[in-house]
Amino acid sequence: MLKLEEQQSLGEASCALSEIVTKPNRSLTLDLVRRVESVSSTHSQHHGKLTVHAEECFSSRTTAEMMLSCLDLESKDLFSKCDPFLVISKLVESGISIPVCKTEVLKNDHNPTWKPVFLNIQQVGSKDSPLVIECFNFNSNGKHDLIGKVQKSLADLEKIHSGREGENLFLPTLVGHDSENKILKSKLFVENFSETVQHTFLDYLAGGVELNFMVAIDFTASNGNPRLPDSLHYIDPSGRQNAYQKAIYEVGEVLQFYDTDKCFPAWGFGARPIDGPVSHCFNLNGSNNYCKVEGIRGIMMAYTSALFNVSLAGPTLFGHVINKAALIASQSLADEAQKYFVLLIITDGVVTDLQETKDALVKASDLPLSILIVGVGGADFKEMEILDADKGERLESSTGRVASRDIVQFVPFRDVQGGEVSIVQALLAELPTQFLTYMR
């Protein structure tokens, strides 16, 4: 093995992947830097250049589309109805399964046929990689009952489709110290199976589509007095970032490269600007006319100055800022601009206008818009999980209209602090899929 500590370092360079893929030829040349530590100071010396080129592999473009159905599903309880949904997971070498796709929940249906699912071949590994398809009965408490499962590759599922024969579900059972599979009479069928080469996220970028970043910050009183160290809005003189600053910086650092002019709309909500009533959507820069600031540094500066120019109030209302972002997205759509908008909402609290927020999100689900929500502090964020709609049903408005797609990703900051996944990885995990769902 090569011992790196015995080798001479020629220099290092770092960048965000988004910085490479947004360059016209997907190539980026970086200065190699070598840090030289002397007794008095640390200074960097330039030692040549390094060019990085990004290329997308072909398998990432091939997508399998399947329509799955089941027959004779068993009820888990004598008197309860069956509300089934499927989870498709890939098996990795260590033996654990990682969910890659989930269907909608169908109410009271023992012979369900779900909407088509799209599986990217690269996402699952290959056509011969093992997949676990589990059928669950939905429970509103989040503890879903396993009805049965099958383990098949995409190639196997294609054979099931062409043979028109269903595959029996099984349930793992423990017999003494051994586990056996109990074969059920319930069957899984593959109604349709097709493969297509789809446009990818990078194809759209190459075609000139831009992602525009927006941010909305919670200035409600539950954050605590910004002048005291226990406040979530406390600006540490040592330069250590609070949770709001961290979220703005980390997400903005990645998304800024997808935006050519790097001018970002930035709002605050839940505070009383000097000499005015409580506002649930005010321009962070203090202007009455324009909401944009320049660059991530501009957002940071506007945030800090707003803390000294508003008094924290309440309640926590999301509807206003979501409607404002949706208005910008719909105007852009009317102008036929090639833009997709990403609104980052950072909040410490439980949303007070849950139904109004749902109405705003359902309305916005037809627009080129995704909403990332970061929950900071120790509050109970159960209602945010409802908005995320990852646990089951799509959002429904007060008039009964269902969201055309999921546009929200919620992450509690405490769940990723010091973990293996960064806040930006957790937040942006669903963004390319949400973007492609909109484009398709």
Side-chain angles (χ1 to χ4, degrees):
M1 294 294 286
L2 197 65
K3 291 195 175 120
L4 289 181
E5 64 273 15
E6 291 174 7
Q7 314 304 316
Q8 183 193 0
S9 164
L10 296 179
E12 59 183 68
S14 66
C15 68
L17 180 60
S18 54
E19 196 175 353
I20 305 169
V21 297
T22 49
K23 289 281 178 275
N25 53 1
R26 293 188 195 154
S27 285
L28 179 68
T29 300
L30 300 159
D31 287 321
L32 279 176
V33 175
R34 194 155 80 214
R35 285 168 185 55
V36 180
E37 294 193 25
S38 62
V39 181
S40 57
S41 68
T42 302
H43 62 282
S44 300
Q45 293 181 346
H46 289 280
H47 287 272
K49 293 181 185 298
L50 174 78
T51 299
V52 187
H53 177 71
E55 199 170 278
E56 193 169 21
C57 57
F58 185 75
S59 63
S60 65
R61 296 165 171 273
T62 312
T63 298
E65 180 185 344
M66 295 180 291
M67 190 185 255
L68 302 170
S69 68
C70 280
L71 209 57
D72 296 329
L73 289 180
E74 296 173 14
S75 290
K76 295 309 287 180
D77 302 305
L78 192 57
F79 301 108
S80 73
K81 55 193 192 319
C82 186
D83 299 337
F85 68 97
L86 298 176
V87 175
I88 302 175
S89 307
K90 67 174 175 182
L91 277 176
V92 293
E93 283 179 15
S94 62
I96 60 165
S97 55
I98 297 170
V100 288
C101 176
K102 185 159 59 180
T103 68
E104 73 279 15
V105 178
L106 293 177
K107 285 286 174 87
N108 199 12
D109 198 338
H110 291 265
N111 302 305
T113 300
W114 290 275
K115 286 179 186 165
V117 294
F118 294 88
L119 279 180
N120 184 287
I121 306 271
Q122 186 188 29
Q123 193 184 8
V124 300
S126 73
K127 270 192 83 168
D128 298 311
S129 302
L131 297 173
V132 178
I133 302 172
E134 295 168 299
C135 184
F136 287 97
N137 180 39
F138 179 82
N139 283 320
S140 53
N141 64 7
K143 291 174 181 161
H144 311 303
D145 308 306
L146 178 64
I147 297 172
K149 61 187 200 174
V150 299
Q151 185 173 317
K152 296 287 169 195
S153 66
L154 281 175
D156 296 331
L157 293 167
E158 191 172 18
K159 280 183 196 144
I160 292 171
H161 169 250
S162 54
R164 303 270 171 227
E165 292 287 319
E167 179 74 21
N168 289 81
L169 301 181
F170 67 81
L171 265 179
T173 53
L174 272 174
V175 182
H177 293 294
D178 303 321
S179 59
E180 283 184 4
N181 291 335
K182 178 189 172 189
I183 307 298
L184 308 175
K185 69 176 190 337
S186 315
K187 286 190 168 187
L188 175 85
F189 289 85
V190 183
E191 304 291 343
N192 292 326
F193 188 100
S194 62
E195 278 179 38
T196 49
V197 176
Q198 302 271 3
H199 286 304
T200 65
F201 183 55
L202 295 186
D203 288 335
Y204 285 104
L205 291 183
V209 176
E210 278 189 34
L211 292 192
N212 286 179
F213 181 49
M214 310 162 155
V215 68
I217 296 172
D218 181 339
F219 284 90
T220 53
S222 51
N223 283 282
N225 183 344
R227 286 156 185 76
L228 301 176
D230 61 352
S231 166
L232 291 165
H233 279 309
Y234 180 63
I235 304 292
D236 195 325
S238 73
R240 193 165 153 267
Q241 292 182 334
N242 66 32
Y244 282 89
Q245 290 170 311
K246 265 197 189 115
I248 294 166
Y249 182 75
E250 290 190 22
V251 178
E253 274 293 280
V254 172
L255 290 181
Q256 63 173 338
F257 297 109
Y258 297 113
D259 192 324
T260 47
D261 69 357
K262 295 188 177 40
C263 283
F264 309 121
W267 304 288
F269 59 93
R272 189 176 281 107
I274 294 167
D275 67 13
V278 173
S279 171
H280 299 293
C281 185
F282 58 88
N283 296 334
L284 206 56
N285 57 17
S287 159
N288 292 326
N289 311 316
Y290 61 97
C291 60
K292 288 191 175 182
V293 296
E294 277 189 40
I296 304 307
R297 196 161 163 267
I299 300 176
M300 295 293 225
M301 285 161 65
Y303 163 64
T304 310
S305 95
L307 281 174
F308 296 101
N309 291 310
V310 301
S311 50
L312 275 52
T316 309
L317 307 183
F318 280 9
H320 296 67
V321 287
I322 292 170
N323 286 331
K324 189 71 176 256
L327 182 65
I328 292 174
S330 67
Q331 282 169 346
S332 166
L333 193 59
D335 298 340
E336 296 184 8
Q338 287 190 301
K339 289 178 189 283
Y340 188 90
F341 297 86
V342 182
L343 169 64
L344 172 67
I345 301 177
I346 315 169
T347 180
D348 83 309
V350 177
V351 60
T352 317
D353 61 338
L354 188 63
Q355 191 54 58
E356 288 86 344
T357 300
K358 282 185 186 177
D359 290 352
L361 290 170
V362 170
K363 202 169 146 195
S365 66
D366 288 335
L367 295 169
L369 175 67
S370 281
I371 296 168
L372 313 172
I373 306 174
V374 177
V376 296
D380 177 2
F381 291 120
K382 272 201 187 76
E383 288 179 345
M384 299 297 172
E385 305 281 2
I386 296 169
L387 299 179
D388 195 328
D390 272 356
K391 299 282 185 284
E393 300 173 5
R394 289 220 178 129
L395 289 182
E396 198 173 306
S397 74
S398 48
T399 58
R401 193 184 147 206
V402 177
S404 56
R405 60 193 182 97
D406 173 22
I407 63 169
V408 177
Q409 174 73 337
F410 167 70
V411 176
F413 199 77
R414 58 177 179 245
D415 287 5
V416 289
Q417 237 166 344
E420 289 171 17
V421 178
S422 70
I423 182 78
V424 70
Q425 278 175 294
L427 267 180
L428 300 184
E430 292 180 14
L431 184 59
T433 313
Q434 290 180 2
F435 171 86
L436 288 171
T437 309
Y438 172 78
M439 288 304 185
R440 282 173 195 154

